[in-house]
Amino acid sequence: MNTPFFAFPPRPTPRLGKTAVWTLGVLAGLVGTTLAAQALTPSDLPISIRGLSGGSENTQNCGSIDSTPHAEIQLSRATYLKLNVTGGSDPTLYIEGPLNLCVLSDKTSAESLQTSGRWPAGNYRVYVGEKTSGRHNMTLDVQGSGN
């Protein structure tokens, strides 16, 4: 499945601190709930994050997102990652960081999308948005490898 994506200019966000080892910090995207980041190593992957897609912030070309990311990923070296979203009405992936991507679902699979590749070192915020209005149950699966 070919999923369209495009780069976008980053939103102004506070800088995240550097990490000594590469970790994956995960925040569950629950309405009105903020959870502390959980440090994970690559051996902890894969991981599934359940929550709601969409939100009150408009990204213009990538639909609406919540103000809190569904995942915060901190990589100290280039890492292969695969992100897969199931659920939602017309989900999007809004990724802030060195890659700054918007991943849109295609017409044949409106309720799922994925992106994968080698991500350069850096700090990333991953939001599951909605191209259409509303919030919907979704699952974000993250897989990774340091190879």
Side-chain angles (χ1 to χ4, degrees):
M1 161 180 58
N2 291 332
T3 302
F5 68 91
F6 56 91
F8 60 89
R11 295 183 310 153
T13 56
R15 293 196 172 262
L16 300 175
K18 293 183 180 179
T19 58
V21 295
W22 62 291
T23 60
L24 173 68
V26 177
L27 296 173
L30 303 173
V31 177
T33 304
T34 303
L35 301 176
Q38 177 184 1
L40 301 172
T41 65
S43 62
D44 295 321
L45 298 177
I47 188 167
S48 292
I49 302 164
R50 289 177 179 76
L52 296 174
S53 61
S56 60
E57 293 193 26
N58 186 349
T59 64
Q60 296 179 335
N61 296 324
C62 204
S64 60
I65 61 170
D66 198 4
S67 59
T68 303
H70 291 87
E72 289 188 359
I73 303 171
Q74 299 172 354
L75 304 174
S76 65
R77 66 177 186 202
T79 304
Y80 174 84
L81 290 178
K82 178 179 178 183
L83 281 67
N84 186 62
V85 176
T86 53
S89 174
D90 194 1
T92 65
L93 273 172
Y94 186 82
I95 302 166
E96 294 177 325
L99 294 179
N100 287 330
L101 296 176
C102 174
V103 183
L104 304 172
S105 57
D106 61 23
K107 303 264 187 239
T108 61
S109 59
E111 291 186 7
S112 73
L113 66 102
Q114 68 177 333
T115 188
S116 62
R118 195 160 186 83
W119 292 31
N123 298 317
Y124 298 87
R125 292 177 179 207
V126 179
Y127 302 82
V128 179
E130 274 295 331
K131 197 67 176 158
T132 60
S133 63
R135 299 188 66 131
H136 304 276
N137 291 325
M138 66 80 201
T139 301
L140 170 64
D141 294 308
V142 181
Q143 299 176 359
S145 165
N147 300 330

